[in-house]
């Protein structure tokens, strides 16, 4: 890759209407518009408010465990070959086990500033739900979490965790009974209780300002990584990689590097394979559409009905993607590839055996395809991978997939 | 603009008549049944029809319309069905204004300009898209206007006053006032701040204001039309179909609501 300052042929922020190029915006019932306006204004103020930012930084370090380490995975690098150096941004070491807490602390603090006493959240795997319930305890807010009944079955431990944290987990029976429908239900709740409730959205999706705001809260990942690679390793970086469902950990890592000469690669879930139709690769296989209040790339059928996504990891199992990713793809600033369920299982075992780190199945997608990608990297390339969460929540799934012969290590 | 909707609204304005607007879901319980229901609705005195088109993720809708949407999608309903049904209704002499009611995605997927052409050719009079606020609606609104079709926007209890004025200016035909903070679905009471807010809205515009969401009872219809120009009833009709009510009994129910609305007090 050429060494030059990347000329920004793209915008770093959405316009006034929340558009990232042709994507983003606000496609919601009128009832929510004034709440979104209020949120946008409050957020713009707090973004520049020193005491808010200091308070947030304090919670992130003392409570959430930031900064997270940037760890050079030498054994994994050796396995991948080509003399590459792989660095793992250890978001799995955050409190509650994933990067989700960066956003929930930020938004719960914001809810406090807004004077809202109740938060609601949607969750798929339950990671965001647990992180939201945790932040709710920290700031003494009432917390209701919407979760599809299918996901509640798959992730019963996280349901129990949320309940222990004093959150109410509200089962969603409509539609596909997964994250997509939990999100619908959370929005319906917000329409009903908009004056008392803050909707704590968990990814860089939804109506403006959420994609921008959640990105900003998650950008702490990239800011730290950028500093660490320079100061700790006295090195530059060539490639950033992260898994993409809604895309919050990926944009969090990418954003502070957008103007650097660094290649950005997002990895979507190819599920059983892109040609099977059973995947969650909305960037690769989606078309322009409107879902959950945003215009983005969406998995849909020929009549414009939203299709079911599939991935072995509930965190990537979403039929759309954040509008900024759609924009980065369109402008060519980032590339997006995909990895299958089997790649993810393989990645899980690889990192566990080589480094003694059990990754969540979401970032395991990235690990799993690294060996196959090595040829495409420059010899000696330096790669930062966002290890967005730890694998405890997925052990049952890993055990089943491994025993059914779904993976080779 | 001159279409069935604007003519209907002008006539009602002149005669100081209140308007009854009914919502049905295309393909619930079946496309044939939807047609039969529409004919009965018209005979029972419905002034305006909203023909709902199903979407897999209806954000603004409660359990009743969610259920009907899922059912209609399973029945394989497409936009072509919507165009065909309205064309047939027009052939059979149904002359009440018909508005297309759906979320944005099926429209985008079909292609907005092609959608508008077909809408016009098949005999629709306009469109209501609950997840398309005016900021994002310009393109569709312009296309509709060029085909002499109305774009009706919604105002909510949370809408601030200067925004109310702007939406009222943009909305074509009437203004759809959402009666409550929440989703669609039959309720028994009238929200407390409704009368006050509708009065405010009426002072900002001369366009008719129709109130929807949560209306199912003659008593509600009477209270609301003391200030508003009409009501929209949807979920209550679908609830009756879902409970096995026959088409004639739907007609009876609508007649009672229409009577509550048209009787001078």
């Amino acid at each position: 890759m050429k060494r030059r300052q990347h000329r920004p042929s793209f915008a770093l922020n959405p316009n006034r209407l929340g558009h990232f190029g042709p994507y983003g915006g606000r496609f919601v019932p009128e009832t929510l518009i004034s709440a979104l306006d209020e949120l946008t204004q409050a957020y713009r103020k707090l973004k520049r408010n020193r005491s808010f930012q200091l308070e947030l930084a304090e919670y992130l370090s003392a409570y959430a465990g930031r900064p997270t380490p940037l760890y050079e995975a030498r054994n994994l690098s050796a396995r991948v070959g080509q003399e590459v150096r792989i660095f793992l941004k250890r978001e799995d070491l955050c409190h509650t086990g994933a990067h989700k807490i960066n956003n929930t602390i930020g938004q719960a603090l914001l809810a406090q500033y807004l004077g809202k006493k109740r938060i609601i959240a949607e969750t798929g795997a339950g990671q965001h739900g647990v992180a939201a319930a945790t932040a709710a305890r920290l700031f003494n807010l009432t917390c209701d979490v919407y979760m599809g009944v299918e996901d509640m079955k798959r992730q019963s431990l996280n349901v129990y965790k949320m309940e222990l944290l004093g959150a109410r987990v509200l089962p969603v029976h409509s539609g596909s009974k997964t994250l997509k429908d939990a999100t619908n239900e959370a929005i319906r709740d917000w329409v009903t209780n908009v004056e008392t409730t803050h909707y704590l959205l968990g990814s860089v999706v939804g109506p403006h300002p959420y994609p921008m705001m959640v990105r900003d809260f998650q950008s702490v990942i990239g800011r730290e990584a950028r500093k660490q690679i320079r100061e700790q390793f006295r090195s530059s970086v060539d490639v950033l990689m992260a898994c993409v469902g809604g895309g919050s950990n990926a944009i969090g890592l990418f954003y502070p590097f957008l103007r650097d000469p660094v290649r950005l690669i997002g990895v979507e879930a190819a599920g059983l394979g892109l040609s099977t139709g059973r995947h969650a690769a909305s960037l690769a296989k989606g078309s322009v559409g409107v879902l959950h209040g945003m215009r983005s790339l969406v998995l849909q059928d020929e009549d414009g009905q939203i299709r079911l996504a599939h991935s072995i990891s509930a965190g990537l199992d979403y039929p759309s993607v954040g509008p900024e990713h759609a924009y980065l793809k369109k402008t060519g600033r980032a590339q997006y590839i995909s990895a299958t369920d089997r790649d993810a299982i393989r990645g899980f075992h690889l990192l566990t055996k080589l480094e003694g780190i059990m990754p969540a199945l979401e970032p395991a997608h990235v690990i799993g395809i690294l060996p196959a990608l090595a040829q495409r990297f420059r010899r000696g390339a330096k790669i930062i991978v966002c290890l967005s969460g730890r694998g405890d929540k997925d052990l049952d799934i890993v055990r089943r997939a491994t025993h059914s012969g779904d993976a080779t290590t | 603009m001159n279409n069935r909707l604007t003519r209907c609204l002008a006539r009602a304005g002149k005669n100081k008549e209140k308007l009854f607007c009914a919502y049905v879901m295309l393909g619930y319980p079946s496309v044939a049944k939807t047609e039969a229901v529409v004919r009965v609705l018209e005979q029972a005195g419905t002034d305006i029809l909203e023909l709902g088109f199903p979407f897999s993720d209806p954000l603004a809708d409660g359990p009743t319309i969610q259920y009907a949407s899922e059912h209609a999608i399973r029945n394989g309903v497409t936009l072509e069905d919507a165009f065909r049904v309205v064309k047939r209704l027009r052939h059979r002499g149904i002359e009440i204004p018909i508005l297309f009611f759906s979320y944005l995605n099926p429209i985008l997927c079909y292609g907005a300009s092609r959608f508008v052409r077909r809408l016009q050719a098949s005999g629709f009079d306009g469109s209501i898209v609950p997840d398309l606020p005016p900021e994002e609606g310009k393109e569709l609104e312009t296309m509709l206007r060029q085909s002499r079709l109305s774009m009706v926007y919604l105002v909510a209890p949370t809408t601030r006053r200067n925004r109310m004025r702007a939406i009222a200016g943009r909305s074509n035909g009437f203004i759809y006032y959402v009666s409550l903070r929440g989703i669609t679905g039959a309720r028994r009471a009238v929200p407390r701040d409704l009368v006050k807010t509708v009065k405010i809205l009426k002072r900002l515009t001369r366009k008719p204001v129709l109130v929807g969401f949560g209306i199912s009872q003659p008593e509600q219809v009477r209270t609301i039309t003391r200030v508003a120009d009409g009501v929209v009833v949807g979920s209550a009709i679908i609830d009756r179909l879902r409970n096995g009510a026959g088409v004639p009994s739907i007609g009876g129910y609508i007649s009672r609501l229409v009577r509550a609305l048209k009787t001078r007090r």
Side-chain angles (χ1 to χ4, degrees), chain B residues 56-163:
Chain B
S56 51
D57 296 79
L59 283 184
D61 285 306
T64 299
I65 294 179
Q66 286 174 42
Y67 170 83
S69 305
E70 284 178 30
H71 184 101
I73 291 170
R74 269 200 306 278
N75 279 351
V77 166
T78 67
L79 280 174
E80 300 301 338
D81 292 313
F83 302 138
R84 198 161 34 227
V85 162
V86 170
K87 203 163 212 173
R88 207 149 49 206
L89 288 168
R90 294 302 186 208
H91 264 296
R92 300 205 170 140
I94 305 280
E95 276 303 314
I96 56 172
I98 304 180
L99 300 171
F100 180 89
F101 190 109
S102 181
Y103 293 83
L104 185 59
N105 200 55
I107 298 174
L108 282 184
C109 182
Y110 191 82
S113 69
R114 178 164 160 243
F115 166 78
V116 169
R117 273 200 311 278
R118 298 294 311 275
L119 209 60
Q120 206 249 357
S122 52
F124 276 97
D125 300 287
S127 177
I128 306 180
V129 186
D131 61 345
L132 187 65
E135 289 84 352
E136 302 284 359
K138 271 183 199 133
E139 200 185 329
L140 185 62
E141 185 188 328
T142 311
M143 287 183 201
L144 286 167
R145 184 177 303 126
Q146 282 162 356
S147 297
R148 270 188 288 152
L149 297 172
S150 299
M151 174 82 154
V152 174
Y153 284 112
L154 298 95
V155 167
T158 51
T159 307
R160 303 209 200 296
R161 205 169 296 196
N162 49 0
R163 186 177 165 85

Side-chain angles (χ1 to χ4, degrees), chain A residues 19 25-31 33-34 174-175 180 184 187-188 191-192 195 289-290 300 302-306, chain B residues 54-59 61 66 70 73 78 104-105 108-109 130-131 133 136 154 156 158-159 163 167 181-183:
Chain A
H19 293 167
R26 272 184 195 164
F27 298 87
V28 292
E30 173 61 26
T31 311
I33 296 286
S34 67
S174 59
K180 167 178 88 81
N184 290 336
I187 295 175
R188 289 183 189 119
V191 173
T192 310
E195 270 142 7
V290 166
Q300 55 186 324
E302 62 274 23
D303 294 318
Q305 308 296 349
I306 306 305
Chain B
F55 178 50
S56 51
D57 296 79
L59 283 184
D61 285 306
Q66 286 174 42
E70 284 178 30
I73 291 170
T78 67
L104 185 59
N105 200 55
L108 282 184
C109 182
D131 61 345
E136 302 284 359
L154 298 95
T158 51
T159 307
R163 186 177 165 85
I167 295 176
R181 293 161 185 77
I183 49 181

Side-chain angles (χ1 to χ4, degrees), chain A residues 32-225:
Chain A
L32 293 181
I33 296 286
S34 67
L36 291 169
D37 278 341
E38 181 194 20
L39 184 60
T40 309
Q41 275 170 19
Y43 176 68
R44 277 190 198 292
K45 258 187 225 152
L46 291 176
K47 193 174 173 176
R48 275 180 254 114
N49 180 318
R50 258 184 76 79
S51 74
F52 177 84
Q53 292 301 340
L54 282 175
E55 201 177 346
L56 177 60
E58 175 65 22
Y59 280 114
L60 287 181
S61 80
Y63 185 77
R66 304 211 70 91
T68 58
L70 186 70
Y71 162 73
E72 180 166 9
R74 292 206 171 80
N75 300 336
L76 177 66
S77 302
R79 167 64 72 93
V80 170
Q82 293 281 359
E83 292 165 35
V84 299
R85 292 176 72 187
I86 298 167
F87 302 87
L88 302 176
K89 183 60 179 158
R90 298 289 309 273
E91 293 302 296
D92 60 317
L93 296 177
C94 285
H95 181 41
T96 71
H99 70 291
K100 293 290 183 189
I101 194 89
N102 303 332
N103 171 46
T104 59
I105 289 181
Q107 283 197 52
L109 193 58
L110 180 74
Q112 250 198 349
Y113 274 72
L114 288 169
K116 306 235 163 140
K117 298 273 177 241
R118 173 175 180 256
I119 57 169
I120 52 173
E122 80 296 335
T123 198
Q127 289 306 100
H128 173 57
V130 168
T134 302
R137 287 282 50 79
L138 184 59
F139 297 105
N140 195 23
L141 305 165
T142 311
C143 177
D144 286 338
V145 180
Y146 287 92
M147 190 168 184
V149 287
E150 277 305 313
D151 290 334
M152 288 178 74
K153 267 188 269 170
R154 288 193 280 191
Q155 301 284 347
S156 56
L157 192 62
N158 272 341
V159 174
Y160 185 52
K161 277 190 194 166
M162 287 183 265
E163 284 166 355
L164 287 174
L165 287 161
R168 229 177 4 154
V169 181
L170 303 167
V172 176
H173 296 272
S174 59
S176 62
K177 304 172 176 57
T178 60
L179 176 60
K180 167 178 88 81
D181 308 279
T183 308
N184 290 336
E185 215 49 55
I187 295 175
R188 289 183 189 119
D189 180 312
W190 200 33
V191 173
T192 310
N193 301 298
V194 59
E195 270 142 7
T196 56
T197 298
H198 174 68
Y199 178 21
L200 206 167
L201 225 170
S203 191
V204 286
V205 300
H208 178 64
Y210 284 101
M212 172 183 81
M213 180 172 76
V214 176
R215 174 201 70 194
D216 290 351
F217 287 136
Q218 292 295 0
S219 291
V220 66
I221 302 173
R223 280 199 307 275
E224 285 177 8

